[in-house]
Amino acid sequence: MLVVALLLLGGLMSCRSSSANQAADRHSASSRSTIKPLRLSDATWRKRLTPMQYDVLRQGHTERAFSGALYANKRAGEYLCAGCGLHLFSSAAKFRSGTGWPSFTRPANAAAISEHADNSYGMRRVEVRCARCGGHLGHVFTDGPRPTGLRYCINSVALKFVPRADVKHQQAAKR
Ligand code: FE
């Protein structure tokens, strides 16, 4: 009886871990297929970024609430990574959270963002980084509005805003 129970338990555990592995594989496979990682030396990042951008994107610091240029921005357009230019968020997903940081209900593309457990400062949070350059963007919380219930709380300085008219202009120029 004990042997049967152990066999059943083992089967259940291997089934669960294999489905978890498959999910992880799917995620990394889709990320790999769409996003090519950008790896630069620390010296290069220091040259490319402003001191504030470096502190946030490469050191994981947080800008002061209500201090950034984009938390109250209501213009239509795209939010790109200030480190590498990857399209991270769109204005359609931006909402007024009152927190003092730009807040979004979803990324422009799930593969553009990577999530990491962050247990610093005695808190259990989920850090979000740019999937291409690994730059620290902010955190995602589960107290957001519908439809996702998520709140991507992002540092202004980690983002570059491109107004919609300029996006259209850039796309036309590529054709
Ligand atoms: Fe980036």
Side-chain angles (χ1 to χ4, degrees), residues 78-126:
E78 295 179 354
Y79 292 84
L80 315 182
C81 173
C84 73
L86 185 66
H87 182 198
L88 300 175
F89 298 97
S90 292
S91 55
K94 193 170 188 285
F95 69 98
R96 188 177 174 178
S97 66
T99 59
W101 293 280
S103 300
F104 304 87
T105 54
R106 58 161 59 96
N109 176 345
I113 299 281
S114 66
E115 298 186 357
H116 308 266
D118 176 5
N119 298 323
S120 62
Y121 303 105
M123 293 182 276
R124 300 186 75 172
R125 295 181 294 173
V126 178

Short mmCIF file of all heavy atoms in Angstrom, two decimals, residues 78-126:
data_model
loop_
_atom_site.label_atom_id
_atom_site.label_comp_id
_atom_site.label_asym_id
_atom_site.label_seq_id
_atom_site.Cartn_x
_atom_site.Cartn_y
_atom_site.Cartn_z
N GLU A 78 4.08 55.44 -27.70
CA GLU A 78 4.75 54.24 -27.22
C GLU A 78 5.82 54.59 -26.19
O GLU A 78 6.46 55.64 -26.29
CB GLU A 78 5.41 53.51 -28.40
CG GLU A 78 4.41 52.96 -29.41
CD GLU A 78 5.09 52.28 -30.58
OE1 GLU A 78 6.33 52.32 -30.70
OE2 GLU A 78 4.35 51.70 -31.39
N TYR A 79 6.00 53.70 -25.24
CA TYR A 79 7.04 53.84 -24.22
C TYR A 79 8.12 52.80 -24.50
O TYR A 79 7.85 51.60 -24.47
CB TYR A 79 6.44 53.63 -22.83
CG TYR A 79 5.49 54.74 -22.42
CD1 TYR A 79 4.16 54.72 -22.82
CD2 TYR A 79 5.94 55.82 -21.66
CE1 TYR A 79 3.28 55.74 -22.45
CE2 TYR A 79 5.09 56.85 -21.30
CZ TYR A 79 3.76 56.80 -21.70
OH TYR A 79 2.90 57.82 -21.33
N LEU A 80 9.31 53.30 -24.81
CA LEU A 80 10.43 52.42 -25.15
C LEU A 80 11.40 52.33 -23.98
O LEU A 80 11.43 53.21 -23.12
CB LEU A 80 11.19 52.97 -26.36
CG LEU A 80 10.38 53.47 -27.56
CD1 LEU A 80 11.34 53.91 -28.68
CD2 LEU A 80 9.42 52.40 -28.07
N CYS A 81 12.21 51.27 -23.95
CA CYS A 81 13.26 51.15 -22.94
C CYS A 81 14.28 52.26 -23.17
O CYS A 81 14.78 52.42 -24.30
CB CYS A 81 13.93 49.78 -23.05
SG CYS A 81 15.37 49.62 -21.96
N ALA A 82 14.61 53.02 -22.13
CA ALA A 82 15.59 54.10 -22.26
C ALA A 82 17.00 53.55 -22.47
O ALA A 82 17.90 54.27 -22.89
CB ALA A 82 15.55 54.99 -21.03
N GLY A 83 17.18 52.26 -22.18
CA GLY A 83 18.50 51.66 -22.35
C GLY A 83 18.75 51.16 -23.76
O GLY A 83 19.83 51.36 -24.32
N CYS A 84 17.73 50.50 -24.35
CA CYS A 84 17.96 49.84 -25.64
C CYS A 84 16.92 50.14 -26.70
O CYS A 84 17.05 49.69 -27.83
CB CYS A 84 18.07 48.33 -25.44
SG CYS A 84 16.48 47.53 -25.07
N GLY A 85 15.85 50.86 -26.35
CA GLY A 85 14.84 51.24 -27.35
C GLY A 85 13.76 50.22 -27.60
O GLY A 85 12.91 50.43 -28.47
N LEU A 86 13.75 49.10 -26.88
CA LEU A 86 12.70 48.10 -27.08
C LEU A 86 11.33 48.66 -26.69
O LEU A 86 11.21 49.34 -25.66
CB LEU A 86 13.01 46.86 -26.23
CG LEU A 86 12.07 45.66 -26.41
CD1 LEU A 86 12.18 45.08 -27.81
CD2 LEU A 86 12.38 44.59 -25.36
N HIS A 87 10.31 48.40 -27.51
CA HIS A 87 8.95 48.86 -27.20
C HIS A 87 8.42 48.06 -26.01
O HIS A 87 8.21 46.85 -26.12
CB HIS A 87 8.06 48.66 -28.42
CG HIS A 87 6.66 49.13 -28.23
ND1 HIS A 87 5.62 48.72 -29.04
CD2 HIS A 87 6.11 49.98 -27.32
CE1 HIS A 87 4.50 49.30 -28.64
NE2 HIS A 87 4.77 50.06 -27.59
N LEU A 88 8.19 48.75 -24.87
CA LEU A 88 7.79 48.05 -23.64
C LEU A 88 6.31 48.21 -23.31
O LEU A 88 5.65 47.26 -22.91
CB LEU A 88 8.60 48.59 -22.45
CG LEU A 88 10.12 48.43 -22.53
CD1 LEU A 88 10.78 49.13 -21.35
CD2 LEU A 88 10.52 46.96 -22.57
N PHE A 89 5.80 49.44 -23.44
CA PHE A 89 4.41 49.73 -23.07
C PHE A 89 3.78 50.66 -24.10
O PHE A 89 4.50 51.37 -24.81
CB PHE A 89 4.33 50.39 -21.69
CG PHE A 89 4.86 49.53 -20.57
CD1 PHE A 89 6.17 49.70 -20.11
CD2 PHE A 89 4.08 48.56 -19.97
CE1 PHE A 89 6.67 48.90 -19.09
CE2 PHE A 89 4.57 47.76 -18.95
CZ PHE A 89 5.87 47.94 -18.51
N SER A 90 2.44 50.65 -24.14
CA SER A 90 1.71 51.57 -25.00
C SER A 90 0.81 52.45 -24.15
O SER A 90 0.36 52.04 -23.06
CB SER A 90 0.87 50.79 -26.02
OG SER A 90 1.72 50.13 -26.92
N SER A 91 0.51 53.64 -24.67
CA SER A 91 -0.31 54.59 -23.89
C SER A 91 -1.70 54.02 -23.60
O SER A 91 -2.32 54.38 -22.60
CB SER A 91 -0.42 55.92 -24.63
OG SER A 91 -0.93 55.70 -25.93
N ALA A 92 -2.21 53.12 -24.45
CA ALA A 92 -3.55 52.55 -24.24
C ALA A 92 -3.63 51.78 -22.93
O ALA A 92 -4.72 51.64 -22.36
CB ALA A 92 -3.90 51.63 -25.41
N ALA A 93 -2.52 51.28 -22.42
CA ALA A 93 -2.51 50.49 -21.18
C ALA A 93 -2.11 51.34 -19.97
O ALA A 93 -2.02 50.82 -18.85
CB ALA A 93 -1.55 49.31 -21.32
N LYS A 94 -1.88 52.65 -20.18
CA LYS A 94 -1.45 53.51 -19.06
C LYS A 94 -2.68 53.98 -18.28
O LYS A 94 -3.71 54.28 -18.87
CB LYS A 94 -0.68 54.72 -19.60
CG LYS A 94 0.09 55.50 -18.55
CD LYS A 94 1.01 56.53 -19.21
CE LYS A 94 1.93 57.20 -18.20
NZ LYS A 94 1.26 58.19 -17.36
N PHE A 95 -2.56 54.04 -16.98
CA PHE A 95 -3.68 54.53 -16.17
C PHE A 95 -3.14 55.39 -15.02
O PHE A 95 -1.95 55.32 -14.68
CB PHE A 95 -4.54 53.38 -15.64
CG PHE A 95 -3.87 52.52 -14.61
CD1 PHE A 95 -4.09 52.72 -13.24
CD2 PHE A 95 -3.00 51.50 -14.97
CE1 PHE A 95 -3.48 51.92 -12.28
CE2 PHE A 95 -2.37 50.70 -14.02
CZ PHE A 95 -2.61 50.91 -12.67
N ARG A 96 -4.02 56.19 -14.47
CA ARG A 96 -3.64 57.09 -13.39
C ARG A 96 -3.72 56.32 -12.07
O ARG A 96 -4.82 56.05 -11.57
CB ARG A 96 -4.59 58.28 -13.38
CG ARG A 96 -4.19 59.36 -12.43
CD ARG A 96 -5.15 60.53 -12.54
NE ARG A 96 -4.88 61.53 -11.54
CZ ARG A 96 -5.53 62.67 -11.44
NH1 ARG A 96 -6.51 62.94 -12.29
NH2 ARG A 96 -5.24 63.53 -10.49
N SER A 97 -2.56 55.97 -11.51
CA SER A 97 -2.55 55.16 -10.28
C SER A 97 -2.46 56.02 -9.03
O SER A 97 -2.77 55.56 -7.93
CB SER A 97 -1.37 54.19 -10.32
OG SER A 97 -0.15 54.92 -10.27
N GLY A 98 -1.99 57.28 -9.20
CA GLY A 98 -1.81 58.16 -8.05
C GLY A 98 -0.56 57.85 -7.24
O GLY A 98 -0.34 58.42 -6.18
N THR A 99 0.28 56.93 -7.75
CA THR A 99 1.47 56.53 -7.00
C THR A 99 2.67 57.44 -7.24
O THR A 99 3.61 57.44 -6.46
CB THR A 99 1.90 55.10 -7.39
OG1 THR A 99 2.18 55.09 -8.81
CG2 THR A 99 0.82 54.08 -7.07
N GLY A 100 2.62 58.19 -8.39
CA GLY A 100 3.76 59.05 -8.70
C GLY A 100 4.74 58.41 -9.66
O GLY A 100 5.80 58.98 -9.95
N TRP A 101 4.40 57.20 -10.15
CA TRP A 101 5.21 56.54 -11.18
C TRP A 101 4.29 56.15 -12.33
O TRP A 101 3.11 55.81 -12.10
CB TRP A 101 5.89 55.28 -10.63
CG TRP A 101 6.93 55.55 -9.61
CD1 TRP A 101 8.22 55.96 -9.83
CD2 TRP A 101 6.81 55.42 -8.18
NE1 TRP A 101 8.90 56.10 -8.64
CE2 TRP A 101 8.04 55.77 -7.60
CE3 TRP A 101 5.76 55.04 -7.34
CZ2 TRP A 101 8.27 55.76 -6.24
CZ3 TRP A 101 5.98 55.03 -5.97
CH2 TRP A 101 7.22 55.39 -5.44
N PRO A 102 4.80 56.16 -13.58
CA PRO A 102 3.99 55.69 -14.70
C PRO A 102 3.48 54.27 -14.42
O PRO A 102 4.25 53.41 -13.98
CB PRO A 102 4.97 55.69 -15.88
CG PRO A 102 6.04 56.65 -15.48
CD PRO A 102 6.16 56.55 -13.99
N SER A 103 2.18 54.06 -14.64
CA SER A 103 1.56 52.77 -14.32
C SER A 103 0.80 52.23 -15.52
O SER A 103 0.08 52.96 -16.19
CB SER A 103 0.61 52.94 -13.13
OG SER A 103 1.33 53.42 -12.01
N PHE A 104 0.97 50.94 -15.76
CA PHE A 104 0.36 50.29 -16.93
C PHE A 104 -0.31 48.98 -16.50
O PHE A 104 0.12 48.34 -15.53
CB PHE A 104 1.44 49.96 -17.98
CG PHE A 104 2.26 51.15 -18.42
CD1 PHE A 104 3.40 51.53 -17.71
CD2 PHE A 104 1.89 51.90 -19.53
CE1 PHE A 104 4.16 52.62 -18.09
CE2 PHE A 104 2.65 52.99 -19.93
CZ PHE A 104 3.78 53.36 -19.21
N THR A 105 -1.36 48.60 -17.24
CA THR A 105 -2.05 47.34 -16.91
C THR A 105 -1.40 46.15 -17.60
O THR A 105 -1.63 45.01 -17.18
CB THR A 105 -3.53 47.39 -17.34
OG1 THR A 105 -3.59 47.73 -18.72
CG2 THR A 105 -4.30 48.41 -16.52
N ARG A 106 -0.64 46.40 -18.66
CA ARG A 106 0.02 45.28 -19.35
C ARG A 106 1.18 45.82 -20.19
O ARG A 106 1.17 46.99 -20.58
CB ARG A 106 -0.96 44.54 -20.27
CG ARG A 106 -1.61 45.43 -21.34
CD ARG A 106 -2.18 44.60 -22.48
NE ARG A 106 -3.17 43.66 -22.02
CZ ARG A 106 -4.49 43.88 -22.04
NH1 ARG A 106 -4.95 45.03 -22.52
NH2 ARG A 106 -5.33 42.97 -21.61
N PRO A 107 2.17 44.94 -20.48
CA PRO A 107 3.23 45.36 -21.40
C PRO A 107 2.72 45.33 -22.84
O PRO A 107 1.68 44.71 -23.12
CB PRO A 107 4.33 44.31 -21.18
CG PRO A 107 3.64 43.12 -20.63
CD PRO A 107 2.38 43.60 -19.94
N ALA A 108 3.43 46.00 -23.73
CA ALA A 108 3.04 46.00 -25.14
C ALA A 108 3.12 44.60 -25.72
O ALA A 108 2.37 44.25 -26.62
CB ALA A 108 3.95 46.96 -25.92
N ASN A 109 4.02 43.81 -25.16
CA ASN A 109 4.28 42.46 -25.66
C ASN A 109 4.83 41.67 -24.47
O ASN A 109 5.80 42.11 -23.85
CB ASN A 109 5.32 42.57 -26.79
CG ASN A 109 5.75 41.22 -27.32
OD1 ASN A 109 5.51 40.18 -26.72
ND2 ASN A 109 6.40 41.26 -28.47
N ALA A 110 4.22 40.53 -24.15
CA ALA A 110 4.64 39.76 -22.96
C ALA A 110 6.12 39.41 -23.02
O ALA A 110 6.79 39.36 -21.99
CB ALA A 110 3.80 38.49 -22.83
N ALA A 111 6.65 39.19 -24.21
CA ALA A 111 8.05 38.79 -24.34
C ALA A 111 9.01 39.95 -24.10
O ALA A 111 10.21 39.73 -23.96
CB ALA A 111 8.28 38.19 -25.72
N ALA A 112 8.50 41.19 -24.05
CA ALA A 112 9.38 42.34 -23.88
C ALA A 112 9.83 42.53 -22.44
O ALA A 112 10.77 43.27 -22.16
CB ALA A 112 8.67 43.61 -24.36
N ILE A 113 9.15 41.85 -21.50
CA ILE A 113 9.41 42.04 -20.08
C ILE A 113 9.81 40.71 -19.45
O ILE A 113 9.21 39.68 -19.76
CB ILE A 113 8.09 42.50 -19.39
CG1 ILE A 113 7.59 43.82 -19.98
CG2 ILE A 113 8.23 42.57 -17.88
CD1 ILE A 113 8.30 45.03 -19.48
N SER A 114 10.78 40.74 -18.55
CA SER A 114 11.07 39.54 -17.76
C SER A 114 10.77 39.84 -16.29
O SER A 114 10.90 40.99 -15.85
CB SER A 114 12.52 39.08 -17.94
OG SER A 114 13.40 40.04 -17.41
N GLU A 115 10.32 38.81 -15.57
CA GLU A 115 9.93 38.99 -14.16
C GLU A 115 10.88 38.24 -13.24
O GLU A 115 11.32 37.13 -13.57
CB GLU A 115 8.49 38.48 -13.95
CG GLU A 115 7.48 39.26 -14.77
CD GLU A 115 6.05 38.86 -14.45
OE1 GLU A 115 5.84 37.95 -13.63
OE2 GLU A 115 5.14 39.47 -15.04
N HIS A 116 11.17 38.85 -12.08
CA HIS A 116 12.15 38.27 -11.15
C HIS A 116 11.69 38.51 -9.71
O HIS A 116 11.25 39.63 -9.40
CB HIS A 116 13.52 38.93 -11.35
CG HIS A 116 13.97 38.92 -12.79
ND1 HIS A 116 14.78 37.94 -13.31
CD2 HIS A 116 13.66 39.75 -13.83
CE1 HIS A 116 14.97 38.17 -14.60
NE2 HIS A 116 14.30 39.27 -14.94
N ALA A 117 11.80 37.51 -8.87
CA ALA A 117 11.44 37.67 -7.46
C ALA A 117 12.37 38.68 -6.81
O ALA A 117 13.59 38.64 -7.02
CB ALA A 117 11.54 36.33 -6.74
N ASP A 118 11.82 39.60 -6.04
CA ASP A 118 12.61 40.62 -5.35
C ASP A 118 12.17 40.67 -3.88
O ASP A 118 11.07 41.14 -3.58
CB ASP A 118 12.36 41.99 -6.03
CG ASP A 118 13.09 43.12 -5.31
OD1 ASP A 118 13.85 42.84 -4.35
OD2 ASP A 118 12.89 44.29 -5.70
N ASN A 119 13.03 40.15 -3.00
CA ASN A 119 12.69 40.11 -1.58
C ASN A 119 13.46 41.16 -0.78
O ASN A 119 13.62 41.03 0.43
CB ASN A 119 12.96 38.70 -1.02
CG ASN A 119 12.09 37.66 -1.70
OD1 ASN A 119 10.93 37.93 -2.01
ND2 ASN A 119 12.65 36.50 -1.97
N SER A 120 13.92 42.21 -1.45
CA SER A 120 14.69 43.25 -0.76
C SER A 120 13.78 44.13 0.11
O SER A 120 12.56 44.18 -0.10
CB SER A 120 15.42 44.12 -1.79
OG SER A 120 14.50 44.77 -2.63
N TYR A 121 14.38 44.82 1.05
CA TYR A 121 13.68 45.74 1.96
C TYR A 121 12.54 45.07 2.73
O TYR A 121 11.55 45.72 3.08
CB TYR A 121 13.14 46.97 1.19
CG TYR A 121 14.21 47.73 0.45
CD1 TYR A 121 14.33 47.64 -0.93
CD2 TYR A 121 15.12 48.54 1.14
CE1 TYR A 121 15.32 48.32 -1.61
CE2 TYR A 121 16.10 49.23 0.46
CZ TYR A 121 16.21 49.13 -0.90
OH TYR A 121 17.20 49.81 -1.57
N GLY A 122 12.66 43.76 2.96
CA GLY A 122 11.66 43.05 3.75
C GLY A 122 10.32 42.90 3.05
O GLY A 122 9.31 42.62 3.68
N MET A 123 10.32 43.09 1.72
CA MET A 123 9.06 42.98 0.96
C MET A 123 9.19 41.85 -0.06
O MET A 123 10.30 41.52 -0.49
CB MET A 123 8.77 44.28 0.20
CG MET A 123 8.45 45.45 1.09
SD MET A 123 8.07 46.92 0.10
CE MET A 123 9.72 47.55 -0.21
N ARG A 124 8.06 41.26 -0.42
CA ARG A 124 8.05 40.24 -1.47
C ARG A 124 7.42 40.88 -2.70
O ARG A 124 6.20 41.09 -2.76
CB ARG A 124 7.26 39.01 -1.03
CG ARG A 124 7.85 38.37 0.21
CD ARG A 124 7.15 37.09 0.56
NE ARG A 124 7.57 36.02 -0.35
CZ ARG A 124 7.23 34.75 -0.18
NH1 ARG A 124 6.49 34.39 0.83
NH2 ARG A 124 7.65 33.84 -1.02
N ARG A 125 8.26 41.26 -3.63
CA ARG A 125 7.77 41.94 -4.83
C ARG A 125 8.26 41.21 -6.09
O ARG A 125 9.14 40.35 -6.02
CB ARG A 125 8.28 43.39 -4.85
CG ARG A 125 7.73 44.24 -3.71
CD ARG A 125 8.24 45.67 -3.79
NE ARG A 125 9.69 45.73 -3.58
CZ ARG A 125 10.42 46.83 -3.74
NH1 ARG A 125 9.84 47.94 -4.13
NH2 ARG A 125 11.73 46.80 -3.52
N VAL A 126 7.67 41.57 -7.21
CA VAL A 126 8.10 41.02 -8.49
C VAL A 126 8.70 42.16 -9.31
O VAL A 126 8.00 43.11 -9.68
CB VAL A 126 6.93 40.37 -9.26
CG1 VAL A 126 7.42 39.85 -10.62
CG2 VAL A 126 6.33 39.22 -8.44
#
